[in-house]
């Protein structure tokens, strides 16, 4: 009943099966013979799907190198890492009307992800931070967002099918039982193995064909969980885009964390009334969104990878640290104890990781002529 009542709050309710009428703009038809694409065979079906995706994208972007379809390189890898294509796609996504249902780029994302080709799905996930960032920031503006919602629903449906109704869990070790890493002060009374202490990271998923206000955070959160699972394959630029949107979502600049002071999420601007009296006017920062735990948890996991992952890119670490400070300030403002603990822990871990004193490989045997007894 609650979901039925909330349907009136929605601006768009697209279904997972997008009909041709949803995307009504005209596209340029490009024949496969113009690109010398070989005939499709069972062994080359994946390559053929990639070529079709590229020729479709070439009708949307301004410039696409014809060498993409050469046989001596991986076109999907090129799409994922080429900075020129990434820049063009990012610019198109950031246009004011980019999330509409008749947007060609959104249609390309939807069809490409539905192709079930893992390499092409990575290309779609590479731009998920921008899609999710713009979508969540524009919801309150009542703009048409059926294109973005179709892409997010396609990713959510993919995860619903792949998880097969099972929740994502992790086994939390029971420290009361000894292990190869520690001894227990109170040994177990029996020799049976310790019972599994399962913690649910992500509950089981239910299929949804529309995006309602009560489901929005969950659907976007599941998409971000899939993005997190593929982060080791994502280029640095995609991760930096995500960190930038985290600062926008928080509505805080995070500078007050450095000084140990708190401030409201509204900036004070001076104004003068008709009598010439100077007062204060509150201006809400644009882009701030609600951050329930089902959305905040995958956000923090992604930021943790950016901070502590194997890629020690300075720009990425700086953006992730700024995003953590903004989210920490937001959690303090909201008095969200769970978020405060998580964000502050990330900040402390990042400082420890960046400290040169802690950059020691304890598994490496030191080479020295001195024998210590």
């Amino acid at each position: 009943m609650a979901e039925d009542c909330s349907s009136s709050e929605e601006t768009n309710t697209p279904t997972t099966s997008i009909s041709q009428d949803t995307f009504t703009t005209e596209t340029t038809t490009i024949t496969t013979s113009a690109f010398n694409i070989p005939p499709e065979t069972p062994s080359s079906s994946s390559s053929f799907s990639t070529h079709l995706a590229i020729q479709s994208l070439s009708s949307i972007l301004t410039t696409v190198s014809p060498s993409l379809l050469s046989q001596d390189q991986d076109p999907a890898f090129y799409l994922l890492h080429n900075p020129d294509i990434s820049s063009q796609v990012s610019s198109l996504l950031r246009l004011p009307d980019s999330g509409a249902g008749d947007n060609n780029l959104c249609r390309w994302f939807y069809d490409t992800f539905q192709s079930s080709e893992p390499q092409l799905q990575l290309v779609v996930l590479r731009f998920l931070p921008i899609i999710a960032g713009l979508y969540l920031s524009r919801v309150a503006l009542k703009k048409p967002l059926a294109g973005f919602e179709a892409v997010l629903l396609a990713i959510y449906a993919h995860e619903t099918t792949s998880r097969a109704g099972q929740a994502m869990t992790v086994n939390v070790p029971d420290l009361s039982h000894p292990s190869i890493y520690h001894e227990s002060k109170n040994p177990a009374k029996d020799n049976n193995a310790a019972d599994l202490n399962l913690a649910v990271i992500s509950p089981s998923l239910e299929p949804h064909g529309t995006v309602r206000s009560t489901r929005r955070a969950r659907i976007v959160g599941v998409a971000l969980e899939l993005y997190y699972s593929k982060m080791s394959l994502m280029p640095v630029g995609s991760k930096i885009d995500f960190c930038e949107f985290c600062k926008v979502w928080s509505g805080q600049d995070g500078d007050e964390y450095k000084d140990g002071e708190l401030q409201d999420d509204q900036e004070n601007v001076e104004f003068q009334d008709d009598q010439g009296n100077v007062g204060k006017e509150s201006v809400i920062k644009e882009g701030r969104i609600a951050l329930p735990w089902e959305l905040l948890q995958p956000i923090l996991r992604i930021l943790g990878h950016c901070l502590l992952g194997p890629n020690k890119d300075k720009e990425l670490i700086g953006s992730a640290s700024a995003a953590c400070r903004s989210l920490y300030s937001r959690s303090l403002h909201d008095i969200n104890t769970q978020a405060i603990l998580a964000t502050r822990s990330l900040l402390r871990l990042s400082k420890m990781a960046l400290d040169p004193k802690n950059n020691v490989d304890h598994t490496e045997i030191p080479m020295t002529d001195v024998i210590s007894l």
Side-chain angles (χ1 to χ4, degrees):
M1 181 64 70
E3 291 184 354
D4 293 337
C5 295
S6 64
S7 61
S8 61
E9 303 174 3
E10 298 306 307
T11 59
N12 305 285
T13 57
T15 59
T16 52
S17 58
I18 305 301
S19 64
Q20 185 65 30
D21 294 337
T22 305
F23 298 87
T24 57
T25 55
E26 297 181 356
T27 58
T28 304
T29 303
I30 301 179
T31 59
T32 56
S33 60
F35 290 90
N36 298 322
I37 299 177
E40 183 177 5
T41 62
S43 60
S44 63
S45 59
S46 176
S47 177
F48 187 78
S49 300
T50 303
H51 291 162
L52 290 179
I54 293 174
Q55 75 174 41
S56 177
L57 182 62
S58 65
S59 65
I60 302 173
L61 303 182
T62 55
T63 57
V64 176
S65 174
S67 62
L68 271 177
L69 297 174
S70 62
Q71 300 299 321
D72 57 348
Q73 61 177 331
D74 184 0
F77 183 85
Y78 186 89
L79 284 178
L80 183 64
H81 294 280
N82 183 266
D84 180 60
I85 292 181
S86 299
S87 177
Q88 293 185 61
V89 174
S90 299
S91 299
L92 291 176
L93 283 175
R94 296 175 188 272
L95 294 177
D97 58 345
S98 59
D102 59 352
N103 184 267
N104 283 334
L105 186 57
C106 289
R107 177 59 183 261
W108 184 85
F109 280 129
Y110 179 85
D111 291 339
T112 302
F113 194 86
Q114 294 285 64
S115 67
S116 300
E117 292 292 339
Q119 297 301 320
L120 291 178
Q121 290 179 341
L122 288 178
V123 177
V124 178
L125 292 177
R126 183 255 179 270
F127 298 99
L128 180 62
I130 300 179
I131 295 174
L134 294 175
Y135 172 68
L136 292 177
S137 300
R138 293 178 181 179
V139 165
L141 304 179
K142 305 299 181 182
K143 290 185 176 182
L145 300 171
F148 286 160
E149 289 183 346
V151 179
L152 293 171
L153 283 171
I155 299 175
Y156 180 86
H158 169 81
E159 278 295 275
T160 303
T161 303
S162 62
R163 296 187 189 183
Q166 301 296 321
M168 293 178 59
T169 59
V170 61
N171 182 24
V172 180
D174 187 357
L175 297 182
S176 63
H177 296 269
S179 69
I180 60 175
Y181 302 103
H182 80 290
E183 295 181 357
S184 176
K185 295 182 180 180
N186 299 320
K189 296 181 180 180
D190 51 25
N191 294 327
N192 296 332
D195 295 333
L196 295 178
N197 299 319
L198 296 180
V200 177
I201 297 179
S202 180
S204 58
L205 303 179
E206 298 179 359
H208 296 311
T210 59
V211 180
R212 296 181 177 178
S213 59
T214 55
R215 303 170 180 170
R216 182 177 293 117
R218 178 60 173 156
I219 291 174
V220 178
V222 170
L224 293 179
E225 289 172 359
L226 178 59
Y227 178 83
Y228 170 77
S229 67
K230 307 294 184 182
M231 279 204 68
S232 60
L233 304 175
M234 292 293 114
V236 174
S238 177
K239 302 173 186 179
I240 293 178
D241 290 337
F242 178 82
C243 295
E244 294 300 322
F245 274 107
C246 287
K247 292 187 289 185
V248 175
W249 292 340
S250 68
Q252 306 284 143
D253 54 19
D255 291 339
E256 66 275 13
Y257 169 70
K258 295 181 179 180
D259 300 331
E261 299 177 357
L262 300 180
Q263 65 183 22
D264 196 81
D265 65 315
Q266 297 180 348
E267 294 179 341
N268 292 323
V269 180
E270 292 188 356
F271 69 96
Q272 283 188 341
D273 56 18
D274 296 336
Q275 288 76 27
N277 299 322
V278 178
K280 295 290 182 180
E281 182 181 13
S282 296
V283 178
I284 300 177
K285 290 187 176 180
E286 184 180 358
R288 175 188 169 120
I289 64 171
L291 293 173
W293 185 248
E294 56 190 353
L295 178 60
L296 185 59
Q297 185 188 40
I299 289 176
L300 296 177
R301 294 171 67 189
I302 294 173
L303 289 178
H305 185 281
C306 295
L307 289 170
L308 308 174
N311 192 332
K312 301 299 182 182
D313 186 88
K314 293 183 178 180
E315 183 180 1
L316 174 60
I317 294 177
S319 297
S321 299
C324 287
R325 290 196 298 269
S326 298
L327 290 173
Y328 175 66
S329 177
R330 168 68 181 272
S331 62
L332 287 174
H333 177 269
D334 295 345
I335 318 180
N336 186 338
T337 55
Q338 193 175 24
I340 292 173
L341 177 62
T343 52
R344 187 169 182 84
S345 298
L346 275 180
L347 289 175
R348 289 182 173 178
L349 287 173
S350 65
K351 290 182 179 180
M352 293 174 59
L354 294 175
D355 191 347
K357 297 180 181 179
N358 297 324
N359 294 334
V360 179
D361 186 2
H362 297 281
T363 63
E364 183 179 355
I365 300 177
M367 303 298 294
T368 178
D369 297 332
V370 179
I371 301 177
S372 301
L373 302 178

